[in-house]
Amino acid sequence: MGRALGAEHAEADPLLRPSGNAKFGDFQANAAMGLGKRLGRPPREVAERIVVELDLEGLCEPAEVAGPGFINLRLTGEALERGAAALVGDAQMGIARAHEPQRVVVDYSSPNVAKEMHVGHLRSTIIGDAIVRVQEAVGHEVIRQNHVGDWGTQFGMLVEHLVDIGATGEGAHIADLNAFYQEAKKRFDADADFNGRARERVVALQGGDAETLGLWQKLVDESLLHMDEVYARLGVLLTEGDVRGESSYNDGLGGVIEALEAKGLLEESEGAKVVFPAGFEGQDGEPMPVIVQKGDGGFLYSTTDLAALRYRVSELDVDRIIYVTDARQKQHFAMMLAAGEMAGFVDERVRTDHVTFGMVLGEDGKPFKTRDGGTVRLMSLLEEAEERAGAIVAEKNPGLSEAEMGRVARVVGIGAIKYADLSGDRVKDYVFSWERMLAMEGNTAPYLLNAYVRIRGIFRKAALEGAPEGAVVSVGHEAERALLLKLMELGSVVERVSESLEPHQLCGYLYDLATAFHRFYEHCPVLVAEDAATRDGRLVLCELTGRGLKLVLGLLGIDVLERM
Ligand code: ARG
């Protein structure tokens, strides 16, 4: 099956790539090597033959063959000028809209209700949000799905605890959800009477008892409030309207079992109902089952995911589903999707991707914890980020007003957390380090924000909003050329990430862009350029760089600042 599952890095080798070194032209084709083999001719000869046939009139200088069979291409000044003009006139800066727009579900964040969100959910939220924005940028229609864990046997004890401590108050006592959960759990483990009542509650809940459902809803609502605070603070796109929790698939669970039964896929194993998707074996070589219904009739995480899959394919009519969770759920999704395919809930017309990510580690290399070993609360983490960023900014630019300082601290602090999460290859674990993520140098949010600020500063100094109307870029210095080529690459980088779902490619691009800008700025005076035309052309490059930084940072969910 052509599933993209697990195809984390599958990407065709592009025929033509930016050379990255002016010595080899602007672009280099490396096809001659492979072609040579296929044609049984010396690669260099093949390359020379290609060059003879090439018609790049007006686009490139005469192509050159180099080394064992490379073709080096260098754009003409005229082509570069046209490239710059096209970027100026395009708000999307070269990002092409998909020929066939798709409807894409992105299933992300998805924390569990009645437990406070922790740092593990941070990654899913940040990575998922960047993926949503990239899909939209290339013209797809995105349906965000926050598949919150709002159902399950633990709600028996939570509701019963709520009953005991008095459900009359307006939720003040469940505001501290972590403590509430722990209290309930403690009683569940130690108090036999409570334990019994909690179990009866589960039955009442699953049986649709109105009073129980009302209490359950109270807990869910309280949790959602808390999640919304975190989302707002983080500045992600998720809203309450995107919540479609596990509980919403209740009515579909029986149908999942029936459909599996009808296809003859259901088997009994130790009292439970299971499916054996093809191709999954345990270490003992025995086929591995997906359990869809327990002996006591209860349904499982997988059953809910199968119902959700069915709903998304048949009701939402999607072309692609992207799941964003940590790598530990790899097998769950692989098996669930395989079972769903056997059941006919999904077929090869729908592309499914499981976007996995590694763990957040502390600087000691162990799972990220508070100093006393507890789980890190997301909200306090975000607060600390803003505080730390605020302190750095206050030192760097004490002249900012208090209101401005607050905004800068937020953008830098939240931006730093997001960027640190996104800039490494997501499949790897990443080490949470305040010092690194807030550094003004290196591949960090502050470095990029600062590049943007510098550009805005140039325009402020010139008392201009942007480059003068009609200004034309003419590329003289190599640093100008390198910067413009970087800018012209923006569209293809974003398009590639919409396929590969690897936001770190965007970060790598941003870093290269900012670095190319700094080199340009160092070598090519802008406001004191030798003549007005040169100055104006350089202002265009400044403006494009600013727009490019803002656009791509925006795809990562990071705001920019006028000053910091
Ligand atoms: N609630 C789950 C967790 O916290 C994540 C759900 C991911 N989405 C899904 N469709 N299973 O681990």
Side-chain angles (χ1 to χ4, degrees), residues 99-129:
H99 293 302
E100 292 178 25
Q102 298 186 327
R103 183 174 293 166
V104 183
V105 157
V106 183
D107 176 326
Y108 71 114
S109 194
S110 308
N112 297 320
V113 157
K115 275 195 179 172
E116 236 176 312
M117 288 176 76
H118 58 77
V119 64
H121 294 116
L122 187 67
R123 298 211 73 188
S124 175
T125 308
I126 291 174
I127 294 168
D129 211 57

PDB file of all heavy atoms in Angstrom, residues 99-129:
ATOM      1  N   HIS A  99      -2.267  22.206  -7.109  1.00  0.00           N
ATOM      2  CA  HIS A  99      -3.138  22.078  -8.283  1.00  0.00           C
ATOM      3  C   HIS A  99      -4.469  21.468  -7.888  1.00  0.00           C
ATOM      4  O   HIS A  99      -5.515  21.829  -8.395  1.00  0.00           O
ATOM      5  CB  HIS A  99      -2.476  21.205  -9.349  1.00  0.00           C
ATOM      6  CG  HIS A  99      -1.264  21.834  -9.937  1.00  0.00           C
ATOM      7  ND1 HIS A  99      -1.317  23.054 -10.561  1.00  0.00           N
ATOM      8  CD2 HIS A  99       0.032  21.448  -9.970  1.00  0.00           C
ATOM      9  CE1 HIS A  99      -0.092  23.372 -10.968  1.00  0.00           C
ATOM     10  NE2 HIS A  99       0.734  22.418 -10.606  1.00  0.00           N
ATOM     11  N   GLU A 100      -4.378  20.481  -7.014  1.00  0.00           N
ATOM     12  CA  GLU A 100      -5.614  19.849  -6.542  1.00  0.00           C
ATOM     13  C   GLU A 100      -5.703  20.033  -5.044  1.00  0.00           C
ATOM     14  O   GLU A 100      -5.175  19.237  -4.277  1.00  0.00           O
ATOM     15  CB  GLU A 100      -5.603  18.357  -6.880  1.00  0.00           C
ATOM     16  CG  GLU A 100      -5.688  18.100  -8.360  1.00  0.00           C
ATOM     17  CD  GLU A 100      -5.622  16.615  -8.686  1.00  0.00           C
ATOM     18  OE1 GLU A 100      -5.987  15.788  -7.811  1.00  0.00           O
ATOM     19  OE2 GLU A 100      -5.183  16.292  -9.796  1.00  0.00           O
ATOM     20  N   PRO A 101      -6.391  21.083  -4.629  1.00  0.00           N
ATOM     21  CA  PRO A 101      -6.498  21.327  -3.189  1.00  0.00           C
ATOM     22  C   PRO A 101      -7.155  20.132  -2.498  1.00  0.00           C
ATOM     23  O   PRO A 101      -8.100  19.542  -3.022  1.00  0.00           O
ATOM     24  CB  PRO A 101      -7.407  22.558  -3.109  1.00  0.00           C
ATOM     25  CG  PRO A 101      -7.320  23.200  -4.443  1.00  0.00           C
ATOM     26  CD  PRO A 101      -7.108  22.094  -5.421  1.00  0.00           C
ATOM     27  N   GLN A 102      -6.619  19.787  -1.364  1.00  0.00           N
ATOM     28  CA  GLN A 102      -7.130  18.633  -0.635  1.00  0.00           C
ATOM     29  C   GLN A 102      -7.801  19.078   0.648  1.00  0.00           C
ATOM     30  O   GLN A 102      -7.551  20.174   1.139  1.00  0.00           O
ATOM     31  CB  GLN A 102      -5.970  17.709  -0.273  1.00  0.00           C
ATOM     32  CG  GLN A 102      -5.251  17.170  -1.475  1.00  0.00           C
ATOM     33  CD  GLN A 102      -4.213  16.152  -1.065  1.00  0.00           C
ATOM     34  OE1 GLN A 102      -3.607  16.263   0.002  1.00  0.00           O
ATOM     35  NE2 GLN A 102      -4.011  15.154  -1.894  1.00  0.00           N
ATOM     36  N   ARG A 103      -8.607  18.193   1.162  1.00  0.00           N
ATOM     37  CA  ARG A 103      -9.147  18.424   2.503  1.00  0.00           C
ATOM     38  C   ARG A 103      -8.327  17.553   3.458  1.00  0.00           C
ATOM     39  O   ARG A 103      -8.233  16.347   3.272  1.00  0.00           O
ATOM     40  CB  ARG A 103     -10.621  18.034   2.542  1.00  0.00           C
ATOM     41  CG  ARG A 103     -11.234  18.316   3.895  1.00  0.00           C
ATOM     42  CD  ARG A 103     -12.715  18.076   3.897  1.00  0.00           C
ATOM     43  NE  ARG A 103     -13.410  19.031   3.059  1.00  0.00           N
ATOM     44  CZ  ARG A 103     -14.677  18.871   2.672  1.00  0.00           C
ATOM     45  NH1 ARG A 103     -15.343  17.803   3.030  1.00  0.00           N
ATOM     46  NH2 ARG A 103     -15.269  19.788   1.929  1.00  0.00           N
ATOM     47  N   VAL A 104      -7.749  18.212   4.426  1.00  0.00           N
ATOM     48  CA  VAL A 104      -6.784  17.537   5.294  1.00  0.00           C
ATOM     49  C   VAL A 104      -7.209  17.646   6.762  1.00  0.00           C
ATOM     50  O   VAL A 104      -7.443  18.755   7.254  1.00  0.00           O
ATOM     51  CB  VAL A 104      -5.385  18.191   5.155  1.00  0.00           C
ATOM     52  CG1 VAL A 104      -4.351  17.451   5.988  1.00  0.00           C
ATOM     53  CG2 VAL A 104      -4.955  18.263   3.693  1.00  0.00           C
ATOM     54  N   VAL A 105      -7.314  16.528   7.432  1.00  0.00           N
ATOM     55  CA  VAL A 105      -7.507  16.558   8.881  1.00  0.00           C
ATOM     56  C   VAL A 105      -6.137  16.569   9.541  1.00  0.00           C
ATOM     57  O   VAL A 105      -5.275  15.763   9.190  1.00  0.00           O
ATOM     58  CB  VAL A 105      -8.305  15.337   9.387  1.00  0.00           C
ATOM     59  CG1 VAL A 105      -8.027  15.077  10.870  1.00  0.00           C
ATOM     60  CG2 VAL A 105      -9.803  15.552   9.194  1.00  0.00           C
ATOM     61  N   VAL A 106      -5.935  17.509  10.452  1.00  0.00           N
ATOM     62  CA  VAL A 106      -4.739  17.429  11.288  1.00  0.00           C
ATOM     63  C   VAL A 106      -5.221  17.190  12.715  1.00  0.00           C
ATOM     64  O   VAL A 106      -5.946  17.991  13.289  1.00  0.00           O
ATOM     65  CB  VAL A 106      -3.868  18.697  11.198  1.00  0.00           C
ATOM     66  CG1 VAL A 106      -2.602  18.527  12.040  1.00  0.00           C
ATOM     67  CG2 VAL A 106      -3.493  18.997   9.745  1.00  0.00           C
ATOM     68  N   ASP A 107      -4.854  16.027  13.233  1.00  0.00           N
ATOM     69  CA  ASP A 107      -5.248  15.578  14.573  1.00  0.00           C
ATOM     70  C   ASP A 107      -4.070  15.889  15.485  1.00  0.00           C
ATOM     71  O   ASP A 107      -3.025  15.250  15.382  1.00  0.00           O
ATOM     72  CB  ASP A 107      -5.537  14.072  14.478  1.00  0.00           C
ATOM     73  CG  ASP A 107      -5.866  13.388  15.799  1.00  0.00           C
ATOM     74  OD1 ASP A 107      -5.315  13.782  16.845  1.00  0.00           O
ATOM     75  OD2 ASP A 107      -6.664  12.423  15.766  1.00  0.00           O
ATOM     76  N   TYR A 108      -4.193  16.912  16.317  1.00  0.00           N
ATOM     77  CA  TYR A 108      -3.038  17.301  17.120  1.00  0.00           C
ATOM     78  C   TYR A 108      -3.424  17.875  18.476  1.00  0.00           C
ATOM     79  O   TYR A 108      -4.605  18.125  18.720  1.00  0.00           O
ATOM     80  CB  TYR A 108      -2.143  18.273  16.347  1.00  0.00           C
ATOM     81  CG  TYR A 108      -2.653  19.689  16.119  1.00  0.00           C
ATOM     82  CD1 TYR A 108      -2.013  20.781  16.716  1.00  0.00           C
ATOM     83  CD2 TYR A 108      -3.729  19.949  15.295  1.00  0.00           C
ATOM     84  CE1 TYR A 108      -2.437  22.081  16.476  1.00  0.00           C
ATOM     85  CE2 TYR A 108      -4.163  21.250  15.052  1.00  0.00           C
ATOM     86  CZ  TYR A 108      -3.516  22.315  15.652  1.00  0.00           C
ATOM     87  OH  TYR A 108      -3.935  23.594  15.412  1.00  0.00           O
ATOM     88  N   SER A 109      -2.425  18.047  19.288  1.00  0.00           N
ATOM     89  CA  SER A 109      -2.561  18.469  20.687  1.00  0.00           C
ATOM     90  C   SER A 109      -3.216  17.353  21.502  1.00  0.00           C
ATOM     91  O   SER A 109      -2.546  16.651  22.224  1.00  0.00           O
ATOM     92  CB  SER A 109      -3.331  19.781  20.819  1.00  0.00           C
ATOM     93  OG  SER A 109      -3.149  20.290  22.116  1.00  0.00           O
ATOM     94  N   SER A 110      -4.508  17.211  21.389  1.00  0.00           N
ATOM     95  CA  SER A 110      -5.233  16.052  21.927  1.00  0.00           C
ATOM     96  C   SER A 110      -4.814  15.601  23.324  1.00  0.00           C
ATOM     97  O   SER A 110      -4.485  14.431  23.517  1.00  0.00           O
ATOM     98  CB  SER A 110      -5.107  14.870  20.950  1.00  0.00           C
ATOM     99  OG  SER A 110      -5.470  15.270  19.652  1.00  0.00           O
ATOM    100  N   PRO A 111      -4.835  16.507  24.299  1.00  0.00           N
ATOM    101  CA  PRO A 111      -4.479  16.091  25.651  1.00  0.00           C
ATOM    102  C   PRO A 111      -5.626  15.328  26.309  1.00  0.00           C
ATOM    103  O   PRO A 111      -6.700  15.191  25.724  1.00  0.00           O
ATOM    104  CB  PRO A 111      -4.255  17.425  26.371  1.00  0.00           C
ATOM    105  CG  PRO A 111      -5.081  18.410  25.631  1.00  0.00           C
ATOM    106  CD  PRO A 111      -5.147  17.944  24.207  1.00  0.00           C
ATOM    107  N   ASN A 112      -5.356  14.853  27.504  1.00  0.00           N
ATOM    108  CA  ASN A 112      -6.389  14.123  28.229  1.00  0.00           C
ATOM    109  C   ASN A 112      -7.065  15.032  29.232  1.00  0.00           C
ATOM    110  O   ASN A 112      -6.417  15.797  29.944  1.00  0.00           O
ATOM    111  CB  ASN A 112      -5.780  12.903  28.911  1.00  0.00           C
ATOM    112  CG  ASN A 112      -5.215  11.939  27.880  1.00  0.00           C
ATOM    113  OD1 ASN A 112      -5.822  11.732  26.825  1.00  0.00           O
ATOM    114  ND2 ASN A 112      -4.054  11.380  28.162  1.00  0.00           N
ATOM    115  N   VAL A 113      -8.360  14.931  29.271  1.00  0.00           N
ATOM    116  CA  VAL A 113      -9.171  15.765  30.149  1.00  0.00           C
ATOM    117  C   VAL A 113      -8.943  15.389  31.610  1.00  0.00           C
ATOM    118  O   VAL A 113      -8.607  14.253  31.915  1.00  0.00           O
ATOM    119  CB  VAL A 113     -10.659  15.571  29.760  1.00  0.00           C
ATOM    120  CG1 VAL A 113     -11.574  15.926  30.902  1.00  0.00           C
ATOM    121  CG2 VAL A 113     -10.975  16.378  28.524  1.00  0.00           C
ATOM    122  N   ALA A 114      -9.134  16.351  32.466  1.00  0.00           N
ATOM    123  CA  ALA A 114      -9.030  16.135  33.901  1.00  0.00           C
ATOM    124  C   ALA A 114      -7.606  15.849  34.333  1.00  0.00           C
ATOM    125  O   ALA A 114      -7.340  15.300  35.391  1.00  0.00           O
ATOM    126  CB  ALA A 114      -9.950  15.021  34.381  1.00  0.00           C
ATOM    127  N   LYS A 115      -6.701  16.193  33.464  1.00  0.00           N
ATOM    128  CA  LYS A 115      -5.294  16.162  33.852  1.00  0.00           C
ATOM    129  C   LYS A 115      -4.728  17.395  33.208  1.00  0.00           C
ATOM    130  O   LYS A 115      -5.052  17.695  32.051  1.00  0.00           O
ATOM    131  CB  LYS A 115      -4.603  14.942  33.237  1.00  0.00           C
ATOM    132  CG  LYS A 115      -4.744  13.686  34.034  1.00  0.00           C
ATOM    133  CD  LYS A 115      -3.729  12.706  33.527  1.00  0.00           C
ATOM    134  CE  LYS A 115      -3.805  11.420  34.317  1.00  0.00           C
ATOM    135  NZ  LYS A 115      -2.971  10.389  33.720  1.00  0.00           N
ATOM    136  N   GLU A 116      -3.902  18.076  33.931  1.00  0.00           N
ATOM    137  CA  GLU A 116      -3.379  19.279  33.316  1.00  0.00           C
ATOM    138  C   GLU A 116      -2.445  18.932  32.157  1.00  0.00           C
ATOM    139  O   GLU A 116      -1.758  17.931  32.192  1.00  0.00           O
ATOM    140  CB  GLU A 116      -2.653  20.111  34.366  1.00  0.00           C
ATOM    141  CG  GLU A 116      -3.250  21.487  34.396  1.00  0.00           C
ATOM    142  CD  GLU A 116      -2.649  22.334  35.464  1.00  0.00           C
ATOM    143  OE1 GLU A 116      -2.537  21.879  36.606  1.00  0.00           O
ATOM    144  OE2 GLU A 116      -2.290  23.470  35.128  1.00  0.00           O
ATOM    145  N   MET A 117      -2.463  19.783  31.152  1.00  0.00           N
ATOM    146  CA  MET A 117      -1.563  19.551  30.021  1.00  0.00           C
ATOM    147  C   MET A 117      -0.126  19.637  30.516  1.00  0.00           C
ATOM    148  O   MET A 117       0.199  20.482  31.314  1.00  0.00           O
ATOM    149  CB  MET A 117      -1.773  20.626  28.961  1.00  0.00           C
ATOM    150  CG  MET A 117      -3.056  20.488  28.217  1.00  0.00           C
ATOM    151  SD  MET A 117      -3.272  21.859  27.067  1.00  0.00           S
ATOM    152  CE  MET A 117      -2.155  21.389  25.761  1.00  0.00           C
ATOM    153  N   HIS A 118       0.704  18.769  29.995  1.00  0.00           N
ATOM    154  CA  HIS A 118       2.107  18.832  30.397  1.00  0.00           C
ATOM    155  C   HIS A 118       2.988  19.020  29.169  1.00  0.00           C
ATOM    156  O   HIS A 118       2.492  19.126  28.044  1.00  0.00           O
ATOM    157  CB  HIS A 118       2.502  17.589  31.196  1.00  0.00           C
ATOM    158  CG  HIS A 118       2.291  16.324  30.437  1.00  0.00           C
ATOM    159  ND1 HIS A 118       3.149  15.913  29.456  1.00  0.00           N
ATOM    160  CD2 HIS A 118       1.307  15.401  30.484  1.00  0.00           C
ATOM    161  CE1 HIS A 118       2.724  14.782  28.948  1.00  0.00           C
ATOM    162  NE2 HIS A 118       1.588  14.448  29.547  1.00  0.00           N
ATOM    163  N   VAL A 119       4.264  19.015  29.425  1.00  0.00           N
ATOM    164  CA  VAL A 119       5.213  19.402  28.379  1.00  0.00           C
ATOM    165  C   VAL A 119       5.175  18.447  27.174  1.00  0.00           C
ATOM    166  O   VAL A 119       5.472  18.835  26.050  1.00  0.00           O
ATOM    167  CB  VAL A 119       6.631  19.544  28.991  1.00  0.00           C
ATOM    168  CG1 VAL A 119       7.129  18.222  29.528  1.00  0.00           C
ATOM    169  CG2 VAL A 119       7.610  20.158  28.020  1.00  0.00           C
ATOM    170  N   GLY A 120       4.749  17.207  27.400  1.00  0.00           N
ATOM    171  CA  GLY A 120       4.625  16.274  26.277  1.00  0.00           C
ATOM    172  C   GLY A 120       3.599  16.739  25.249  1.00  0.00           C
ATOM    173  O   GLY A 120       3.756  16.510  24.052  1.00  0.00           O
ATOM    174  N   HIS A 121       2.538  17.387  25.744  1.00  0.00           N
ATOM    175  CA  HIS A 121       1.517  17.863  24.813  1.00  0.00           C
ATOM    176  C   HIS A 121       1.951  19.134  24.083  1.00  0.00           C
ATOM    177  O   HIS A 121       1.354  19.517  23.088  1.00  0.00           O
ATOM    178  CB  HIS A 121       0.205  18.135  25.561  1.00  0.00           C
ATOM    179  CG  HIS A 121      -0.415  16.890  26.106  1.00  0.00           C
ATOM    180  ND1 HIS A 121      -0.583  16.662  27.450  1.00  0.00           N
ATOM    181  CD2 HIS A 121      -0.876  15.785  25.485  1.00  0.00           C
ATOM    182  CE1 HIS A 121      -1.124  15.483  27.631  1.00  0.00           C
ATOM    183  NE2 HIS A 121      -1.318  14.929  26.459  1.00  0.00           N
ATOM    184  N   LEU A 122       2.991  19.754  24.620  1.00  0.00           N
ATOM    185  CA  LEU A 122       3.511  20.960  24.001  1.00  0.00           C
ATOM    186  C   LEU A 122       3.984  20.671  22.577  1.00  0.00           C
ATOM    187  O   LEU A 122       3.696  21.406  21.644  1.00  0.00           O
ATOM    188  CB  LEU A 122       4.672  21.469  24.846  1.00  0.00           C
ATOM    189  CG  LEU A 122       5.267  22.817  24.486  1.00  0.00           C
ATOM    190  CD1 LEU A 122       4.253  23.908  24.759  1.00  0.00           C
ATOM    191  CD2 LEU A 122       6.521  23.075  25.310  1.00  0.00           C
ATOM    192  N   ARG A 123       4.700  19.577  22.421  1.00  0.00           N
ATOM    193  CA  ARG A 123       5.267  19.271  21.105  1.00  0.00           C
ATOM    194  C   ARG A 123       4.176  19.018  20.083  1.00  0.00           C
ATOM    195  O   ARG A 123       4.224  19.523  18.969  1.00  0.00           O
ATOM    196  CB  ARG A 123       6.203  18.057  21.182  1.00  0.00           C
ATOM    197  CG  ARG A 123       7.399  18.261  22.078  1.00  0.00           C
ATOM    198  CD  ARG A 123       8.613  17.478  21.597  1.00  0.00           C
ATOM    199  NE  ARG A 123       9.187  18.083  20.405  1.00  0.00           N
ATOM    200  CZ  ARG A 123      10.157  17.535  19.684  1.00  0.00           C
ATOM    201  NH1 ARG A 123      10.649  16.353  20.016  1.00  0.00           N
ATOM    202  NH2 ARG A 123      10.634  18.150  18.625  1.00  0.00           N
ATOM    203  N   SER A 124       3.199  18.216  20.454  1.00  0.00           N
ATOM    204  CA  SER A 124       2.119  17.918  19.512  1.00  0.00           C
ATOM    205  C   SER A 124       1.412  19.211  19.098  1.00  0.00           C
ATOM    206  O   SER A 124       1.085  19.412  17.921  1.00  0.00           O
ATOM    207  CB  SER A 124       1.129  16.953  20.133  1.00  0.00           C
ATOM    208  OG  SER A 124       0.034  16.759  19.275  1.00  0.00           O
ATOM    209  N   THR A 125       1.207  20.088  20.063  1.00  0.00           N
ATOM    210  CA  THR A 125       0.496  21.335  19.793  1.00  0.00           C
ATOM    211  C   THR A 125       1.308  22.237  18.862  1.00  0.00           C
ATOM    212  O   THR A 125       0.778  22.789  17.898  1.00  0.00           O
ATOM    213  CB  THR A 125       0.217  22.069  21.122  1.00  0.00           C
ATOM    214  OG1 THR A 125      -0.424  21.157  22.016  1.00  0.00           O
ATOM    215  CG2 THR A 125      -0.677  23.263  20.905  1.00  0.00           C
ATOM    216  N   ILE A 126       2.572  22.372  19.142  1.00  0.00           N
ATOM    217  CA  ILE A 126       3.422  23.277  18.361  1.00  0.00           C
ATOM    218  C   ILE A 126       3.692  22.715  16.958  1.00  0.00           C
ATOM    219  O   ILE A 126       3.557  23.417  15.954  1.00  0.00           O
ATOM    220  CB  ILE A 126       4.756  23.524  19.112  1.00  0.00           C
ATOM    221  CG1 ILE A 126       4.478  24.351  20.377  1.00  0.00           C
ATOM    222  CG2 ILE A 126       5.771  24.208  18.217  1.00  0.00           C
ATOM    223  CD1 ILE A 126       5.686  24.527  21.279  1.00  0.00           C
ATOM    224  N   ILE A 127       4.036  21.447  16.893  1.00  0.00           N
ATOM    225  CA  ILE A 127       4.335  20.836  15.593  1.00  0.00           C
ATOM    226  C   ILE A 127       3.065  20.760  14.746  1.00  0.00           C
ATOM    227  O   ILE A 127       3.055  21.097  13.564  1.00  0.00           O
ATOM    228  CB  ILE A 127       4.960  19.427  15.783  1.00  0.00           C
ATOM    229  CG1 ILE A 127       6.325  19.555  16.460  1.00  0.00           C
ATOM    230  CG2 ILE A 127       5.083  18.700  14.445  1.00  0.00           C
ATOM    231  CD1 ILE A 127       6.911  18.246  16.961  1.00  0.00           C
ATOM    232  N   GLY A 128       1.975  20.342  15.385  1.00  0.00           N
ATOM    233  CA  GLY A 128       0.709  20.234  14.655  1.00  0.00           C
ATOM    234  C   GLY A 128       0.270  21.579  14.104  1.00  0.00           C
ATOM    235  O   GLY A 128      -0.189  21.675  12.963  1.00  0.00           O
ATOM    236  N   ASP A 129       0.446  22.604  14.895  1.00  0.00           N
ATOM    237  CA  ASP A 129       0.015  23.931  14.466  1.00  0.00           C
ATOM    238  C   ASP A 129       0.833  24.413  13.261  1.00  0.00           C
ATOM    239  O   ASP A 129       0.296  25.015  12.336  1.00  0.00           O
ATOM    240  CB  ASP A 129       0.154  24.918  15.632  1.00  0.00           C
ATOM    241  CG  ASP A 129      -0.895  26.013  15.566  1.00  0.00           C
ATOM    242  OD1 ASP A 129      -2.097  25.685  15.551  1.00  0.00           O
ATOM    243  OD2 ASP A 129      -0.520  27.193  15.514  1.00  0.00           O
TER     244      ASP A 129
END
